[in-house]
Amino acid sequence: MTAGTAFYHDERCLWHSTGEAVLFLPVGGWLQPLATGGHPESPESKRRFKSLLDVSGLAEQLDVLSAEPVTREDLLRVHPAAYLDRFEELSAGRGGEIGQEALFSHGGFEIAALSAGLAKRAVTDVVCGRYRNAYALSRPPGHHCLPEEGMGFCLLANIAIAVEAVKAEHGLGRVAVIDWDVHHGNGTEAVYYERDDVLTVSIHQENCFPVDTGATTDRGHGVGLGYNLNVPLPPGSGHETYLAAMRDIVLPAVRDFAPELIVIASGLDANMVDPLARQLLYADSFRQMTALVMELADEVCEGRVVAVHEGGYAESEVPFCGLAIVETLSGIRTEVVDPFEETFIAQQPSARTLSHQLAIVAELAEEIRSL
């Protein structure tokens, strides 16, 4: 009988270093070093997420597992050899930058391969029936990484590498990727833009990052036409707007596609206090979005859902959002209460603003249907 939920984590992924920065820019010039010394893509939000799983008692009710790094063969299904060779060479030295805002230190290649390995094992174990669903706490993240270039803190395309490995090794067919990271999932989109076996869906803040991708008119190319879907929401979108976009746009598209597996690109940076975005979600928003995906998965793919961690930089709120997702996947509710929830609910958009945002969702749905 298939077991419940697995959680994939490795302490070594938290040792990945992106150096000093102010927001996403390196220290220097007019930018003074922060007192915390931090780049937003630090280990702390992820470490606190895992710590809350431990302290809440949820972790002991899951199978918490690590994984082997992905192999060169795994990587070559997505990334060209020239990119991997350059990455490995820099990693063997002092590290460097392998694309826009894609920094790493010595040994970064090995840690990135391990991060992708967590995603691969999570997808493999669910597809092979060992677990009903899973969460991979991958770091560094992957959804911005292009085949030939790192980008936006992402060094390897974790989800694509995992999906392609399981396609090759276990005959996995149609896959839907639902990316609710607040930034457009341009890397995953690029990998699958001309294919019809993987539906890529990104719900994100419009013109946040990257500023020149993520339009509704980008629907794929060639045989992939119609198999890429972007849902750009205005800054300030809150709980009800996201749920409406999920119900009215995202889930119907996935249902029509009828995948054999749903992968969530689980960025938690649409939370209300994230330093790199301006959306207004809170822990229960992610709980409810997860529940909606699980209901659909029960309908179309025997409940098979894998969430792979992407962004999320608010150390205060990411742990509660992550816990809410894992609680929902596992069906186990802990005693943890998000102490910020009452404040965040009070700060949601007013009725007038919400009406405007829901009208935008309706317009997006109509625009997408007409393409």
Side-chain angles (χ1 to χ4, degrees):
M1 182 175 67
T2 301
T5 299
F7 187 87
Y8 299 82
H9 165 69
D10 195 295
E11 172 66 24
R12 288 171 291 179
C13 287
L14 303 184
W15 290 25
H16 166 59
S17 175
T18 47
E20 281 195 309
V22 178
L23 290 181
F24 51 86
L25 294 176
V27 168
W30 298 111
L31 292 177
Q32 304 175 50
L34 296 173
T36 57
H39 189 285
E41 212 302 284
S42 80
E44 286 311 305
S45 62
K46 275 67 68 174
R47 179 171 282 125
R48 290 167 184 264
F49 173 11
K50 174 58 167 55
S51 295
L52 189 58
L53 291 183
D54 293 340
V55 173
S56 70
L58 182 56
E60 65 187 31
Q61 300 180 73
L62 310 172
D63 283 352
V64 179
L65 306 165
S66 184
E68 294 297 318
V70 291
T71 65
R72 176 90 172 180
E73 181 180 11
D74 293 328
L75 294 169
L76 285 170
R77 295 189 186 101
V78 175
H79 297 288
Y83 175 75
L84 300 175
D85 291 345
R86 179 168 170 252
F87 189 179
E88 283 193 276
E89 181 181 359
L90 289 170
S91 176
R94 298 179 65 88
E97 186 171 13
I98 200 157
Q100 180 186 353
E101 298 169 24
L103 294 160
F104 61 97
S105 59
H106 174 75
F109 178 86
E110 288 74 19
I111 295 176
L114 176 57
S115 178
L118 295 174
K120 177 187 173 182
R121 185 174 180 189
V123 171
T124 301
D125 284 353
V126 170
V127 168
C128 293
R130 300 185 186 101
Y131 296 97
R132 181 174 176 81
N133 56 50
Y135 197 106
L137 189 56
S138 295
R139 177 177 185 265
H143 77 142
H144 292 309
C145 189
L146 302 165
E148 298 180 353
E149 182 180 7
M151 188 176 187
F153 316 154
C154 300
L155 308 178
L156 294 172
N158 297 332
I159 288 175
I161 292 165
V163 167
E164 292 307 298
V166 179
K167 280 178 168 289
E169 296 171 9
H170 300 284
L172 178 63
R174 294 182 308 281
V175 180
V177 179
I178 300 175
D179 188 332
W180 62 42
D181 188 290
V182 81
H183 307 106
H184 175 231
N186 63 301
T188 314
E189 175 184 282
V191 172
Y192 293 110
Y193 204 66
E194 297 186 0
R195 287 173 51 175
D196 62 2
D197 59 327
V198 177
L199 173 69
T200 48
V201 183
S202 178
I203 179 171
H204 51 268
Q205 180 180 315
E206 185 175 29
N207 296 334
C208 187
F209 181 88
V211 297
D212 56 352
T213 66
T216 55
T217 50
D218 296 337
R219 295 303 314 276
H221 183 262
V223 297
L225 183 62
Y227 294 92
N228 184 72
L229 176 62
N230 287 317
V231 187
L233 298 178
S237 293
H239 176 88
E240 294 297 338
T241 301
Y242 264 79
L243 291 180
M246 290 288 291
R247 292 191 184 104
D248 297 346
I249 303 175
V250 174
L251 298 181
V254 176
R255 180 179 289 107
D256 289 344
F257 182 66
E260 298 167 31
L261 171 74
I262 298 174
V263 180
I264 300 170
S266 185
L268 306 182
D269 38 10
N271 78 76
M272 195 155 190
V273 290
D274 197 273
L276 298 186
R278 298 296 177 266
Q279 301 295 50
L280 302 177
L281 301 190
Y282 48 95
D284 196 57
S285 308
F286 291 96
R287 186 187 307 280
Q288 293 193 39
M289 290 195 297
T290 304
L292 289 172
V293 173
M294 291 178 69
E295 289 171 10
L296 178 59
D298 286 342
E299 177 185 336
V300 300
C301 58
E302 300 180 351
R304 289 191 289 265
V305 176
V306 176
V308 178
H309 199 84
E310 294 288 353
Y313 312 103
E315 299 171 21
S316 54
E317 181 65 2
V318 162
F320 297 104
C321 297
L323 178 74
I325 293 172
V326 180
E327 284 182 333
T328 309
L329 288 171
S330 65
I332 302 169
R333 193 68 180 259
T334 71
E335 296 180 357
V336 174
V337 175
D338 181 355
F340 303 109
E341 183 170 291
E342 184 176 345
T343 299
F344 291 169
I345 290 174
Q347 294 175 346
Q348 288 296 296
S350 67
R352 182 175 64 179
T353 301
L354 177 59
S355 176
H356 175 66
Q357 292 178 354
L358 294 178
I360 291 175
V361 171
E363 290 173 6
L364 288 171
E366 183 59 33
E367 180 182 350
I368 290 167
R369 281 194 292 267
S370 69
L371 292 173

